[in-house]
């Protein structure tokens, strides 16, 4: 949660969200992995699924899938220190290529503090360098 986000009240029911991101959309328009996560979150009465994004709003899964396909590598984001404010890193074929920061937003999603261009550059440099 960022400093600008107010704390979420503890008395809200499971799955409650002021803004349902799927109220007026057809889930069939989303990729299968996204739909599957939406359903899993609903089944467990969690807040609506919001995919992890980069600082510029890019969905991480889509960018990672494209980079893996382009370079025939495995790209992951992993916690070095899983505690609040702990370090995270980008891995290419299990080798750390860059550290990044991670934020949990009040909306309940993860935001990695790196742009898509910088993320792609880190992966590209690791593969071609």
């Amino acid at each position: 949660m960022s400093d600008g986000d107010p704390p979420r009240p503890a008395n809200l029911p499971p799955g409650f969200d002021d803004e349902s991101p799927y109220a007026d959309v057809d889930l069939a328009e989303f990729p299968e992995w996204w739909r599957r996560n939406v359903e899993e979150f609903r089944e467990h009465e969690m807040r609506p699924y919001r995919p992890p994004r980069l600082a510029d709003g890019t969905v991480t899964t889509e960018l990672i899938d494209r980079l893996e396909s382009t370079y025939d590598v495995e790209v992951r984001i992993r916690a070095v220190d899983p505690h609040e404010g702990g370090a995270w890193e980008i891995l290419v074929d299990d080798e750390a290529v860059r550290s990044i920061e991670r934020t949990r937003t009040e909306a309940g999603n993860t935001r990695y503090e790196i742009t898509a261009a910088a993320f792609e550059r880190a992966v590209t440099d690791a593969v071609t360098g």
Side-chain angles (χ1 to χ4, degrees):
M1 182 165 51
S2 74
D3 294 337
D5 289 331
R8 182 172 157 76
N11 64 342
L12 296 176
F16 177 82
D17 200 303
D18 289 326
E19 297 178 26
S20 176
Y22 307 106
D24 299 319
V25 297
D26 180 5
L27 281 179
E29 296 176 16
F30 292 90
E32 186 275 329
W33 61 265
W34 194 318
R35 292 190 311 267
R36 185 178 63 246
N37 284 323
V38 168
E39 293 305 320
E40 286 280 325
F41 276 53
R42 284 179 179 165
E43 287 174 19
H44 292 91
E45 296 183 323
M46 296 167 64
R47 294 174 73 188
Y49 173 71
R50 290 175 172 90
R53 295 181 183 269
L54 302 178
D56 59 9
T58 301
V59 174
T60 59
T61 307
E62 294 169 345
L63 177 60
I64 289 171
D65 286 350
R66 182 174 58 76
L67 291 169
E68 288 180 333
S69 177
T70 299
Y71 295 117
D72 192 28
V73 294
E74 180 185 43
V75 178
R76 294 184 306 133
I77 301 172
R78 120 175 131 184
V80 176
D81 175 5
H83 297 92
E84 180 72 28
W88 288 72
E89 61 191 4
I90 301 169
L91 296 151
V92 176
D93 286 340
D94 292 323
E95 289 194 36
V97 300
R98 177 164 174 175
S99 295
I100 56 174
E101 293 182 28
R102 182 194 79 130
T103 304
R104 285 293 282 174
T105 69
E106 181 60 27
N109 65 311
T110 297
R111 182 179 59 232
Y112 296 102
E113 303 302 335
I114 186 172
T115 64
F119 190 102
E120 187 164 352
R121 194 168 35 256
V123 172
T124 300
D125 288 350
V127 173
T128 62

